[in-house]
Amino acid sequence: MCYTVPVMITVILKKGKEKSVLRRHPWVLSGAVERVVGHGEPGEIVRVADRGGNLLATGFYNPISPIPVRLFSWHRESVEDNFWEKALQTAISLRVFPTLPDKTNACRLVFSESDFMPGLIVDRYNDHLIMQCLNPGIARLKNRIAHHLMEILSPRGIYEKSDSDILKLEGLSPHCGILAGVTPPETIAIQENGYEFFVNPISGHKTGFYLDQRDNRWITALYAQGRTVLDAFSYTGGFSVYTAGHSAASLTRIDASHEALSLGEKNLAANFPAPPPSENIRGNVFQVLRKFRDAGRQFDMIILDPPRLAPTRSHQNRASRGYKDINLLAMKLLRPGGILSTFSCSGGIDAATFERIVSWAAIDAKREIQILRRLFQGPDHPVRVAFPEGSYLKGLLCRVL
Ligand code: SAH
């Protein structure tokens, strides 16, 4: 193996703090650092060593971040010159058939720490790639990464959309613009499991679409036949299109965003000449569900896919109350035998906690539930066992008695 990239700075860990590095967790928190040998600028590649000077791993340095080192290699010396090209190649090779379903041309190609490339997100939407660089280390490499992606995938273009809230913690400002090839059109048409969706990568949420829910939309829809469906937090209608495809009797979609609802309408029309009767409600799900309860409305299937209510564990209590609230209300709105497909994408709530919250909601709603499936993010969002934080999306598909 050839080691050609010189790394000058060494971050020495406090006694005992090497354990998490040895277990291959990719984050070195500020409280774990004893001292830094050499002067490291934000974004520089550094080595991490224990107090005895034994080299343990290599990562991106950012002294102002609460996570001053994000590790990507556990080789002892340095990183190979073609490390990034190889890491990209490996990540992309995981996202080919049969990993992804047929008639699907949109997926996450690179998922940050979980693909050994901290801070890098690359999503494919048909023949365009959308990229996020969420720390100074990966931001320094973005042109090199874009060049290699052009070489191996030949997309029409690669657009950077680095606009996440977490940039602030890294001392970065939002940055959007073309990196290679042509700028994507305002709307890109993609296929997912044979359904067509319009995605607005530049103006939409995240990179434009919730790719992590692909499998869960499919599984949920298997139970939709003949049911009146409430798609709460519908965004651009992902679950609505799939449930319509499995002969749902009617669709009610609720979202706070007018743009998302109208794109959802277009997505339904693109797939079905005569979609099921459908109703769009722009509003706050927490309030609309209460109104429905007071009006005695009932549904046969409810999907709850809220935004992240608990980004970290410190938000757990408030978020738990939020999850319990909407799940309890949804259970009350379901006819006996109804299906609840309920999710949490909060890193601060693990799967066991989420299941407990849903079971408390069932007790308070005086309903019994059977779990039919436990749901997770799709395989294009892999989870490293050493990095459980990468496992953020959990869901339950339940029958509510
Ligand atoms: N289920 C969607 C993804 C949902 S993302 C899919 O499969 O594509 C979460 C959505 O919740 C966003 O569209 C956001 O606009 C909406 N949202 C956030 N808070 C809300 C609230 N309190 N009431 C209604 N919608 C909300």
Side-chain angles (χ1 to χ4, degrees):
M1 203 177 283
C2 69
Y3 294 108
T4 53
V5 182
V7 178
M8 312 305 290
I9 321 292
T10 306
V11 173
I12 312 281
L13 301 178
K14 288 181 184 158
K15 189 162 183 274
K17 296 294 183 186
E18 70 284 356
K19 283 188 196 138
S20 126
V21 174
L22 289 169
R23 275 188 244 119
R24 295 182 154 240
H25 193 283
W27 293 347
V28 174
L29 304 182
S30 49
V33 177
E34 180 158 297
R35 67 198 158 87
V36 179
V37 181
H39 176 73
E41 295 289 331
E44 216 151 313
I45 291 178
V46 297
R47 298 183 300 194
V48 169
D50 64 16
R51 273 177 106 204
N54 299 304
L55 298 177
L56 306 173
T58 309
F60 292 134
Y61 184 56
N62 187 4
I64 67 164
S65 165
I67 304 174
V69 190
R70 292 176 186 269
L71 302 170
F72 50 77
S73 165
W74 282 260
H75 290 301
R76 297 296 153 105
E77 295 295 319
S78 184
V79 289
E80 285 176 275
D81 196 21
N82 62 349
F83 178 88
W84 301 103
E85 285 75 11
K86 279 173 78 176
L88 285 169
Q89 211 98 36
T90 307
I92 287 162
S93 68
L94 278 175
R95 276 77 170 180
V96 291
F97 188 82
T99 319
L100 282 174
D102 203 9
K103 296 187 190 151
T104 297
N105 61 15
C107 69
R108 176 148 296 185
L109 293 174
V110 179
F111 182 36
S112 202
E113 274 90 346
S114 304
D115 279 306
F116 301 92
M117 288 174 268
L120 180 67
I121 302 286
V122 183
D123 287 341
R124 174 187 170 200
Y125 294 114
N126 198 344
D127 45 10
H128 288 270
L129 303 185
I130 311 294
M131 189 160 135
Q132 294 188 312
C133 298
L134 303 175
N135 64 56
I138 204 76
R140 282 186 181 197
L141 291 164
K142 66 185 174 192
N143 288 318
R144 174 171 166 186
I145 288 167
H147 177 79
H148 191 61
L149 288 169
M150 286 302 280
E151 256 183 16
I152 56 176
L153 296 172
S154 314
R156 294 202 61 222
I158 305 178
Y159 184 84
E160 180 182 2
K161 192 187 179 201
S162 302
D163 64 353
S164 159
D165 296 344
I166 58 175
L167 289 171
K168 226 183 278 167
L169 294 173
E170 297 288 326
L172 293 175
S173 314
H175 191 272
C176 299
I178 190 73
L179 283 169
V182 301
T183 307
E186 193 191 326
T187 303
I188 302 176
I190 61 157
Q191 273 217 330
E192 195 188 77
N193 277 310
Y195 295 112
E196 191 160 325
F197 286 98
F198 297 119
V199 175
N200 290 348
I202 297 177
S203 61
H205 295 177
K206 304 219 283 187
T207 62
F209 199 63
Y210 289 85
L211 295 164
D212 50 2
Q213 287 284 27
R214 179 191 316 105
D215 292 2
N216 301 329
R217 293 194 263 261
W218 178 261
I219 293 167
T220 299
L222 296 174
Y223 298 82
Q225 194 180 5
R227 293 186 188 265
T228 51
V229 174
L230 171 61
D231 182 2
F233 307 97
S234 61
Y235 189 50
T236 55
F239 282 93
S240 294
V241 166
Y242 277 67
T243 50
H246 279 75
S247 309
S250 69
L251 296 171
T252 301
R253 293 183 291 122
I254 313 173
D255 202 278
S257 155
H258 172 69
E259 293 76 29
L261 285 169
S262 51
L263 195 52
E265 202 57 43
K266 279 196 200 154
N267 285 333
L268 273 171
N271 288 282
F272 310 104
S278 107
E279 167 191 26
N280 289 333
I281 299 173
R282 186 184 168 201
N284 182 339
V285 168
F286 291 81
Q287 292 164 5
V288 177
L289 294 186
R290 285 193 161 70
K291 275 193 202 144
F292 282 176
R293 177 198 61 193
D294 297 344
R297 276 196 72 167
Q298 299 264 279
F299 296 89
D300 301 316
M301 174 180 255
I302 299 182
I303 295 135
L304 292 178
D305 186 18
R308 214 159 44 134
L309 301 183
T312 68
R313 283 213 191 103
S314 62
H315 304 82
Q316 212 187 56
N317 286 344
R318 225 183 112 223
S320 301
R321 285 196 293 277
Y323 286 119
K324 186 177 163 200
D325 188 35
I326 47 175
N327 279 282
L328 194 160
L329 287 162
M331 287 175 201
K332 289 189 169 169
L333 298 181
L334 278 167
R335 293 197 181 90
I339 297 289
L340 175 65
S341 182
T342 178
F343 296 92
S344 160
C345 60
S346 294
I349 304 264
D350 62 21
T353 307
F354 185 59
E355 200 165 312
R356 252 194 323 273
I357 294 169
V358 173
S359 73
W360 290 332
I363 292 167
D364 284 8
K366 301 193 170 52
R367 304 292 293 267
E368 199 187 336
I369 55 171
Q370 282 172 306
I371 295 174
L372 306 177
R373 305 232 198 190
R374 292 187 171 88
L375 304 170
F376 303 97
Q377 63 217 52
D380 50 338
H381 294 65
V383 177
R384 286 181 54 210
V385 173
F387 181 56
E389 291 82 350
S391 167
Y392 65 99
L393 180 64
K394 65 281 313 176
L396 295 169
L397 186 76
C398 309
R399 182 163 168 261
V400 180
L401 308 178

